[in-house]
Every structure is written in structure tokens, then in C-alpha cells.
Amino acid sequence: MSLNRRRSPRVSTISGVKLPDSEKIFLDNGLPVTILHGSETEALRLDICFNVGRQHEHKRMVARATASMLKEGSSQYSGKAFAEKMDTLGSSWESPVQLDYSHFSWLGLSRFGMEALPVIADILENPTFPTSEIHAFVQRNVARLKVELTKPDVVGYRTFTAILLGENHPFGWNSNQEIFEDLTKEDLQKHHSDWYSTETCQCFLSGNVPLPFLEMLNKTVGQLFKGKKSPPSPVIPKVNPTFGTTEIKLPGTLQSSLHIGYLTGVRQHDDYPTLLVLNTILGGFFGSRLMTNIREKLGYTYHIQSNLDTYPDMGSLWINAELSPDYLNPTRKEIFKEINLLKNKPVSTSFLKMVKSYLIGSELNALDGTLQAMEVIRERAMEGLEKIDYATEIEKINSVSPFQIQEMANKYFSQDNFTEVRVTP
Amino acid sequence: MISYEKMVLQNGLTVLMHEDKNTPIASISVLYKVGSRDEHPEKTGFAHLFEHLMFGGSINIPDYDGVMQRAGGENNAYTNHDYTHFFTTLPAINIETALWLESDRMLEIMLQKEVLDVQKKVVVEEFYETCLNLPYGDVWHELSSLNYEKHPYKWPTIGVHPSHIERANLTDVKKFYNKYYHPGNAILVIAGPISIKRMKELAMKWFNDIPSGKTIKKNYSLEPPKKEARHKQSQAEVPVDAIYMTFPCPARADKAFYAVDLLSDIFSNGPSSRLIHRLTRENKYFNHIDCYVTGDFDPGLIVFEGRPTEKISLQDAEEIISKEINVLKTQLIESTELQKWKNKAESTLVLSEMGIQSKSMNLGFFEALGNADLMNAESDIYQSLTAEEIQQAAQVWLKDDQKSVLTYKGK
């Protein structure tokens, strides 16, 4: 019998998506460690996170500078010795930039892990913050900033967050040369001394975790910051949004950038799963309304998307595109057309079903491999979702109705309360 | 170590299969052995444009993305000098949908003028977004034309100019498809929590009846050695000074590649590496410095790129990098330092085997290179390198008269 290529193979609904079982232990100093075992390879990863970010700063940029500068030396190891040790063990030490927490990640092979621990523990507790390295950090960042500020998308996003959240909000202000140059060794010391403690810290361990490694973790990281307390967390000032359109000139740019966004709620809010589906429908994936219409039908842009940002005190949904200046106004018109369509008409059940399948598939995808799955667990913990069951959220996504999507669109896409930033030549 | 089985269908399609019981995800990747090196010099950017067209619907399935998304799949593709790689991950239970889609677009795609016209616009916008409107965004245009006069690596994958893409017509597109997108020029990799027996059945079911195409004779002009070093100062407006220094690099499948690759690690694969430690930390000569190899199928490039600090001129920057290169040529590397980079190479290889998609894509890549077994042999090759081999590689490949230097002067 010949093959009927027009008939689709049976597509099954994806069910039973759940986080792999992790284990939680506490070190001598009370530090919680979440562990996800997986011995498919020799890879081992240790993430150390401090719930300390821009909201805790006594001076702008000090949280990021402190996190970046820890590796530049401690009482027992110089910056050079630390770098040498990490490389000799074939491993890497990163401090990925986060706005609302400080994140350190050691990644290497299981058999080298034990040797890394005493060095890591020492730089976490006794950093020296050499002035010459702070100076180099400032110089590097000022040069990087000069480059970044020539990109319309970067200029657009910076302006957009400052206007939407307010320039005095910890997640609204933007870095500049003066802010970097104003940083001193004493600032970093104060920030570290105030906020790096057992109360703010948690660890995540994934991959091939041998028992002796756990013992060594307790002997090193498990002895840090004993008895040290942090002051109570500061109250985050209220967002102070400005709505309306702002145009920024970037002379010589060949492309324009467009940002349009709305304030939403925190990640823990009940609305989030529905909002996630709404965002996905609008511009969260290749088959979204914005991509299908504006890229695939009209060809106005290479990328257009909508995104959800979440912060400890609120969130935002924003759309952005980079495009030729000629397409700016037509694209803007199409974006509002799509937003209004979502407000005025329920999405079809078949389209919604496709979006849900895509979303659940990508959730499952994110759990492929032990280290990747741990990232999901870690991000949820850092977003304060430990009490919200993952499987329940997935179930919520699966049961969202077209009516709820429309309701959510009307709740957040207000006619007047949006912020728009256009960067043009 | 990645275990896999290989079969070749009668139409010439190579199929690699890897079973992994520990994941709920399956990964399907199809690599077509066609890249920008196969393009006509007047019609560059074509292979990449074509990659976009592969999502425009196939003969029996008009809506590629819709079907994929309904099955919970995510997919994407990229094109480089040497090949075009399409990859999908989806819940393993729906694996057959991905094979149905991939086989149908290998059988025949719907080439419609409307799809071509829209994708031409999209790719031109991509050209602006990723090259023309970014500071240093033209660097690969400059480096390619500075380094190659004969070999088709003389243009980057995105193409020489947006006008080449705007000129593409349906006849060219059809010819290109018929020539390159057929089973004999492709490698299919299936990976996931499915038995090899089942993978074989499914591959046979969906791919066996696709007609074979004509064997392609590939014959790329060899790039002759340079007569002398080349220098060029870019006219582009950029915010800060930058320098790019390149040397020829052995082809990816050449045994000599590994010593050169390790050389690049010695220079910059970590905070204690020579360039990063000595030139950004010990001496603050650069705000940023990096060294890497392109790893192309034909001889590619070893690239040094740096952004000097304000007090260092571009001329000084060139001298400083050259001095470090000379140290490696004249002094044998200590065994502890060499072992450090071997450890790092081992970690990198282990980490590249995390996740079903990267395993699947690696298998396809190495098979295209000649033999997927190479993927499992690489770790031993790196470990066997000696200090003498490293020094020799530096002397052979980092020759002064073979270098090209491209500089950008900041505003």
C-alpha cells in the first residue's frame, strides 16, 4: 500500500509534564541546597544565588559590580590564583547579570568539583575587591556601553523601561558612565558585608554529584557566613509609569526600533499562566499573530515579538521590533490591530489548542537533560514560586479558554495606559 | 561517548539513530550539504534565503509551522559556509509528525512567488539588523574579502549585498532546490527515547520513496597562500577602536586542526589564558580580547579580535598580540599549562553532549564532516597533543606573512 502523505500521523496530547524529583538538604550553616542527580555524563554544576539585587543597593550598580568583582581575589587567593584554579580544573565560573538577584555558577567535571570548593567558598566570604580591578571593570563597562548605545534596540529598551517604571525605580534606571565611575572599593565592601549572608543565599546542585563532593560542600560553603545576619530587605519604591509615546533620535541608524508595553503583575500572580498564553498568542513564538502577520505575511521585519518581564514587585508585557524606518508606522498600526482583535474577539479554539501544544512542548523541551531541568527549578525558586506547583501551572495553561484570553487582553491592554518608545534616524 | 547506528537508504539518504531513554524529548535534524560556498559569486546569500523558504510549506503540507506547533514541536535552522541545518525537538510521542514534515519538504516544497517575495524582504531586514546596522556588523564582509580571493569563503553567508537577495527569482530557487535538496545530499539524525528498530521503521516509511537526485561534484577553488601580510582600515563609523587579526586555519577534518584549536584555547579560553590574563588583567592593554578558530570544512581562519583600552593605539595593539604569538612560537609550553587546556577541552566535549538536541546536531555535523565516529574520537586526540606539536602548529599556522589585519578607528 502506498503512503498517504496528505494524512497526518496521529498527534497525541502531551500530558504528565512534571519537574523531575529534586532533593533538598541543609548545610551546617543552614544554607538550603536543592539537588538534581543525573549521571548521564560527568558534568556537574553548582549554582549559588543570593536574593540580593538592585532593590538592595545603597548606590547604583553596586550589586552587579560586587558580583562581578568577587572573582578578583580573596584573602587566601589572588584573582590570578582563582582564575588559574578554575581553568586548571577545566571548569568555568560565571556571574550572569541579573537585576533582582546575584547569581554565581560553577560548571565542570564531577571529578574536579571537590578541589574547586574551598576556593569558591573563600571568594564568597572574604573578597578583597582590588582597586585596580574595579578600575578595569569600570573601564570595560564604559567602553561596552559606548558600543551598546549605538544599537537602536538597546537604546529603545533602556528608554522604555525607564519611562514605564520610572527613573527612580530600581529596575527602571539605566547605567551610564558616571554611575560606573562613581563606584568605590568601599561601596562593594559595604554591599557585600550588608547582604551576603545565609539568610539571602541558596544553592542548586545538578548533574553527577558524588557523595564526597557533598561532604566537601558542607565543609566549605556550609561554614560560610555563620551567625551573620542581613538587615531587613528594603521596601521597593512604587513604579511611577509615564504613558504615551516617546521618540528618540539616533542619527545615522539604518533601522528603527519600536517598543510598546503595558504594566502587568508579578510572576506569582494568579493571572500569570493565562497571561503567558496571551503573550504567546500575540508574539511569543513563530506562529504568533505578530510574526505570522507582520513578518510572514507583510515581510516588514526580521524579528517582532512580545515578551513578559517579571520583577519582584510587578511585571510588564512588551512588544518590540527592529525594522526599516519606512515600515515603522505601518507596523505600529498592525500591532494595535492585533491587540484590539484580541480584546474584541475570542481566539478560535483550534488556534488556542495549537498555542497550548506549542507551549507545553517547549516546557517539556526545557526539561531535557539534568542541567537544563535544574535551570527551570532554580529560576522558579528565585522567582518565589516554590509554593506554586509546577504541574498545576501547566494544567492551568492547558485549561485556559478563549473567553479568559479575551478577558485578560481587556484587563491589561488598556487604550491609554501603554508606553511606546520609537528610536528613529 | 555517543552510541549510534547508521543506515543508508537506497535513495542515498544517510540516517543516524541514537537512543536515549532518559529524556521525554525527541530530536530530528536534517543537514543538507549546501552552504554559501556553493553559491554563484553574483548570487550570494542564496543558501540562507533558501533556508527561509523551506518553512513556506511542502507539496502535501501547506502549513509547516502550524503542524509542527500542534505536535508541541519547536524548530529552527541555520546556514553557514558549508551546510544548512534544520532541527526540531518535540515530545517523543509525536516524533512521527516531525518525520512526516521533514520527508515532505525533502520530497518537494511549494515554491510560490508570494512566499519568495515576503522572505526576500525578511532576509533583507535580517541583513540590516545583523550586519549593516550594528557597530562592527560588517566585520565578516571585510574579513572574508580580505582573506580570500579565489575560494567562495570570500563572501559571508548573509551575502555580499542585499541587492543579491532582492534579485533572486523563482527559476533560480527551483534550480537550487533540485540540485541540493535531495536524499543523497542530506543526513537525517533521529534521537530520543525510542528503540533503534522503531526509528529504522519510521525512517524507511517516510523517506524511502523520495527519489534520489543527481550526485553533486564539488570543486572549490583553492585559496593560494598570501604573498605578504594584508592590512585594511575599515571606513565604518564605530564607537571604539577594534582590531581583527587573522591567520589561515586547517580545515575542520584535517588532523592539524586540533593543535590549532588548542592554540586558540591557550590564548583565550578562560580568565587564566595568555591573552586574557596578560593583556586585560596583568596589563590593562585591552578591554576585550578573544581568539578563536572558524572550524570551516575548507581551510578557515584563526581570528584574534581585540578592543584596546584608550591609551593603546591600534598599531600598539597589533604589536602586543604579535608578541604573544611569538612567545608561543619560540618557547615550549609547560606541561601544567598544556594539561589545563586539555582539561578544558574535555569539559567542553562532555558539556556538548548534554541534551538530546545537541547530541543529534553534533552527530549530523560530524557525519557531514566525513564520519560521525570522529565525535567520539576527539577527546583522545586533544589529550594526545604534545607541547612540541603545539609549538610546531604555532610556527606553521601563525606565520607573519600569512596574516591579515583589519582595524576600526573609534569616533
Side-chain angles (χ1 to χ4, degrees):
Chain A
M1 203 181 80
S2 79
L3 187 62
N4 182 356
R5 284 190 171 272
R6 291 200 178 259
R7 214 164 87 202
S8 156
R10 208 169 75 87
V11 171
S12 304
T13 311
I14 309 134
S15 58
V17 181
K18 61 182 186 65
L19 286 179
D21 290 329
S22 57
E23 149 190 22
K24 196 165 187 172
I25 60 165
F26 293 89
L27 303 178
D28 283 355
N29 55 359
L31 273 194
V33 185
T34 307
I35 306 172
L36 188 62
H37 293 276
S39 49
E40 62 264 36
T41 72
E42 222 204 310
L44 172 65
R45 176 167 169 165
L46 169 65
D47 290 284
I48 303 169
C49 298
F50 292 85
N51 230 321
V52 173
R54 277 190 173 194
Q55 65 277 34
H56 297 88
E57 291 177 333
H58 69 280
K59 198 176 199 176
R60 286 182 176 179
M61 199 49 82
V62 70
R64 186 167 127 204
T66 304
S68 303
M69 292 289 99
L70 281 189
K71 65 175 185 299
E72 300 304 341
S74 64
S75 56
Q76 288 184 56
Y77 304 91
S78 64
K80 182 182 175 183
F82 180 76
E84 188 67 37
K85 192 76 192 174
M86 292 297 121
D87 283 342
T88 299
L89 301 177
S91 63
S92 67
W93 173 262
E94 308 279 345
S95 45
V97 175
Q98 312 278 1
L99 293 186
D100 55 344
Y101 66 96
S102 301
H103 179 194
F104 304 95
S105 182
W106 181 86
L107 179 60
L109 298 180
S110 174
R111 68 174 192 275
F112 291 125
M114 299 236 316
E115 257 191 84
L117 286 172
V119 197
I120 290 172
D122 200 50
I123 66 150
L124 288 173
E125 187 156 45
N126 306 305
T128 49
F129 303 122
T131 311
S132 63
E133 293 309 321
I134 296 174
H135 183 71
F137 168 83
V138 170
Q139 193 174 266
R140 257 194 322 271
N141 277 287
V142 169
R144 192 187 49 78
L145 201 58
K146 265 191 193 164
V147 176
E148 291 302 306
L149 290 179
T150 64
K151 301 175 184 171
D153 215 33
V154 174
V155 173
Y157 182 65
R158 281 166 57 100
T159 314
F160 168 74
T161 51
I163 293 176
L164 183 71
L165 311 180
E167 294 212 51
N168 289 320
H169 191 274
F171 306 109
W173 60 264
N174 287 302
S175 62
N176 59 35
Q177 184 164 350
E178 292 70 45
I179 289 177
F180 278 111
E181 285 174 350
D182 207 25
L183 289 168
T184 65
K185 177 180 173 134
E186 289 70 32
D187 291 328
L188 275 60
Q189 283 170 329
K190 177 174 163 50
H191 181 80
H192 178 264
S193 144
D194 281 353
W195 298 112
Y196 281 56
S197 75
T198 50
E199 289 174 323
T200 54
C201 182
Q202 50 183 318
C203 300
F204 305 86
L205 198 51
S206 53
N208 196 326
V209 187
L211 196 59
F213 180 87
L214 281 181
E215 287 161 6
M216 184 57 106
L217 185 70
N218 197 27
K219 277 188 205 154
T220 52
V221 177
Q223 309 304 313
L224 295 179
F225 315 121
K226 273 193 165 170
K228 187 179 156 190
K229 294 233 184 296
S230 287
S233 276
V235 179
I236 304 177
K238 273 203 147 145
V239 290
N240 182 19
T242 306
F243 301 117
T245 300
T246 303
E247 184 146 343
I248 304 276
K249 290 282 171 201
L250 191 66
T253 185
L254 300 170
Q255 276 191 315
S256 294
S257 90
L258 180 62
H259 287 79
I260 295 172
Y262 301 83
L263 281 175
T264 58
V266 294
R267 175 65 182 86
Q268 300 96 313
H269 197 286
D270 274 352
D271 282 350
Y272 187 82
T274 313
L275 201 56
L276 178 65
V277 180
L278 173 66
N279 178 65
T280 310
I281 290 172
L282 177 62
F285 76 129
F286 203 85
S288 67
R289 294 256 173 104
L290 292 176
M291 271 297 258
T292 313
N293 180 10
I294 298 171
R295 171 175 148 147
E296 292 298 295
K297 211 173 104 210
L298 298 166
Y300 286 168
T301 178
Y302 171 55
H303 99 254
I304 180 158
Q305 60 194 45
S306 66
N307 316 270
L308 293 175
D309 276 354
T310 52
Y311 302 97
D313 57 332
M314 44 80 215
S316 64
L317 187 157
W318 52 280
I319 297 144
N320 91 300
E322 263 182 282
L323 27 80
S324 128
D326 294 345
Y327 295 141
L328 188 63
N329 284 324
T331 298
R332 180 187 190 275
K333 213 174 118 193
E334 292 295 327
I335 291 171
F336 282 108
K337 199 179 98 190
E338 294 299 345
I339 287 176
N340 284 326
L341 195 60
L342 284 167
K343 287 165 73 172
N344 298 329
K345 201 176 158 205
V347 295
S348 73
T349 40
S350 69
F351 181 66
L352 183 58
K353 198 175 162 203
M354 175 183 86
V355 172
K356 288 177 183 176
S357 300
Y358 165 79
L359 259 177
I360 307 290
S362 73
E363 292 285 341
L364 196 63
N365 219 342
L367 300 176
D368 172 31
T370 309
L371 270 53
Q372 291 93 321
M374 182 52 122
E375 272 193 60
V376 177
I377 296 174
R378 180 179 54 74
E379 275 168 23
R380 291 182 66 83
M382 296 317 292
E383 284 172 332
L385 295 177
E386 273 163 323
K387 291 204 181 83
I388 298 177
D389 182 45
Y390 177 81
T392 311
E393 278 204 338
I394 297 284
E395 202 26 61
K396 257 190 179 169
I397 291 173
N398 248 332
S399 62
V400 169
S401 69
F403 173 71
Q404 286 171 306
I405 297 292
Q406 191 181 0
E407 203 179 39
M408 199 60 62
N410 280 294
K411 179 170 176 183
Y412 288 110
F413 297 151
S414 143
Q415 210 82 49
D416 308 310
N417 297 347
F418 67 87
T419 297
E420 175 183 8
V421 175
R422 306 150 64 97
V423 179
T424 55
Chain B
M1 253 332 219
I2 305 290
S3 62
Y4 68 94
E5 269 194 46
K6 174 176 166 177
M7 69 172 175
V8 180
L9 304 187
Q10 60 193 17
N11 55 16
L13 179 68
T14 300
V15 186
L16 302 184
M17 293 151 289
H18 165 69
E19 182 180 351
D20 178 353
K21 292 197 182 74
N22 296 315
T23 175
I25 293 281
S27 166
I28 306 295
S29 60
V30 180
L31 182 151
Y32 290 92
K33 294 181 231 173
V34 57
S36 58
R37 67 175 172 173
D38 300 299
E39 291 164 349
H40 187 277
E42 298 300 319
K43 294 175 181 176
T44 65
F46 212 84
H48 168 247
L49 171 67
F50 200 83
E51 171 213 311
H52 281 243
L53 300 179
M54 282 289 276
F55 294 91
S58 56
I59 191 74
N60 296 296
I61 317 171
D63 177 16
Y64 179 92
D65 292 305
V67 172
M68 179 64 80
Q69 287 146 7
R70 260 182 271 277
E74 285 187 285
N75 60 289
N76 211 332
Y78 67 88
T79 309
N80 62 24
H81 282 148
D82 308 310
Y83 59 90
T84 310
H85 216 164
F86 297 86
F87 47 98
T88 300
T89 48
L90 81 176
I93 192 168
N94 289 332
I95 188 171
E96 197 168 352
T97 300
L99 293 166
W100 176 50
L101 284 162
E102 284 298 0
S103 66
D104 207 50
R105 63 180 179 177
M106 190 181 289
L107 179 69
E108 198 174 340
I109 58 168
M110 283 202 294
L111 290 170
Q112 303 172 86
K113 190 169 177 307
E114 301 75 52
V115 174
L116 176 63
D117 287 345
V118 168
Q119 289 310 317
K120 277 157 65 171
K121 279 162 81 178
V122 170
V123 170
V124 168
E125 288 299 319
E126 182 180 357
F127 205 132
Y128 276 93
E129 187 173 322
T130 59
C131 298
L132 301 180
N133 200 38
L134 272 188
Y136 322 99
D138 62 342
V139 61
W140 282 100
H141 285 86
E142 295 282 14
L143 288 179
S144 305
S145 62
L146 189 59
N147 276 291
Y148 297 97
E149 287 172 344
K150 296 255 178 336
H151 190 279
Y153 286 171
K154 67 184 173 188
W155 59 85
T157 307
I158 191 78
V160 169
H161 191 269
S163 62
H164 282 204
I165 293 149
E166 280 157 355
R167 283 205 300 263
N169 62 48
L170 222 46
T171 316
D172 292 338
V173 166
K174 280 185 178 151
K175 260 199 224 155
F176 194 85
Y177 180 71
N178 290 333
K179 185 167 179 189
Y180 294 109
Y181 281 75
H182 59 76
N185 201 40
I187 297 161
L188 164 70
V189 183
I190 308 174
I194 297 144
S195 73
I196 300 283
K197 184 169 164 280
R198 177 79 183 133
M199 289 181 188
K200 279 185 181 163
E201 283 168 13
L202 288 172
M204 294 287 283
K205 176 177 171 183
W206 291 105
F207 289 89
N208 211 33
D209 67 353
I210 300 174
S212 50
K214 276 194 197 143
T215 313
I216 306 157
K217 279 194 210 112
K218 293 192 171 187
N219 193 8
Y220 308 106
S221 316
L222 284 177
E223 188 64 28
K226 296 185 184 72
K227 293 197 177 75
E228 58 183 358
R230 295 173 191 164
H231 283 80
K232 182 169 183 187
Q233 171 145 358
S234 162
Q235 296 307 310
E237 266 196 33
V238 292
V240 297
D241 287 2
I243 179 167
Y244 295 82
M245 189 190 286
T246 66
F247 297 87
C249 174
R252 184 63 178 78
D254 188 334
K255 275 197 183 109
F257 174 82
Y258 297 95
V260 172
D261 189 33
L262 208 66
L263 272 184
S264 72
D265 291 347
I266 293 167
F267 281 125
S268 81
N269 190 19
S272 78
S273 61
R274 293 189 177 192
L275 299 185
I276 294 181
H277 175 66
R278 292 182 193 163
L279 308 186
T280 71
R281 299 164 68 96
E282 205 169 61
N283 300 293
K284 317 286 189 214
Y285 294 149
F286 288 86
N287 282 320
H288 159 83
I289 190 141
D290 196 8
C291 171
Y292 53 89
V293 292
T294 55
D296 295 304
F297 282 17
D298 290 328
L301 298 174
I302 307 167
V303 184
F304 294 82
E305 60 170 73
R307 301 215 178 129
T309 50
E310 271 176 14
K311 58 179 191 246
I312 303 295
S313 70
L314 284 162
Q315 202 177 352
D316 291 343
E318 184 181 343
E319 267 172 44
I320 291 166
I321 297 172
S322 301
K323 228 166 141 180
E324 285 299 331
I325 292 173
N326 262 327
V327 175
L328 208 56
K329 282 188 196 170
T330 50
Q331 294 170 26
L332 212 55
I333 180 171
E334 298 266 351
S335 62
T336 47
E337 190 186 354
L338 181 59
Q339 190 55 46
K340 174 165 74 176
W341 303 114
K342 287 184 179 182
N343 290 347
K344 204 106 187 199
E346 187 189 352
S347 305
T348 307
L349 288 173
V350 167
L351 292 169
S352 75
E353 293 175 9
M354 302 295 293
I356 198 76
Q357 177 168 308
S358 64
K359 283 195 280 190
S360 153
M361 291 179 69
N362 278 337
L363 281 170
F365 168 80
F366 283 103
E367 186 63 23
L369 203 54
N371 183 347
D373 283 343
L374 191 57
M375 177 174 173
N376 291 325
E378 287 207 316
S379 192
D380 287 342
I381 301 177
Y382 284 108
Q383 295 308 320
S384 72
L385 290 169
T386 64
E388 288 75 16
E389 284 170 315
I390 297 294
Q391 185 177 30
Q392 206 186 6
Q395 290 162 353
V396 170
W397 294 96
L398 298 171
K399 283 193 178 126
D400 277 337
D401 60 356
Q402 294 304 307
K403 89 176 162 187
S404 301
V405 179
L406 170 71
T407 51
Y408 287 85
K409 190 85 197 99
K411 270 191 278 191

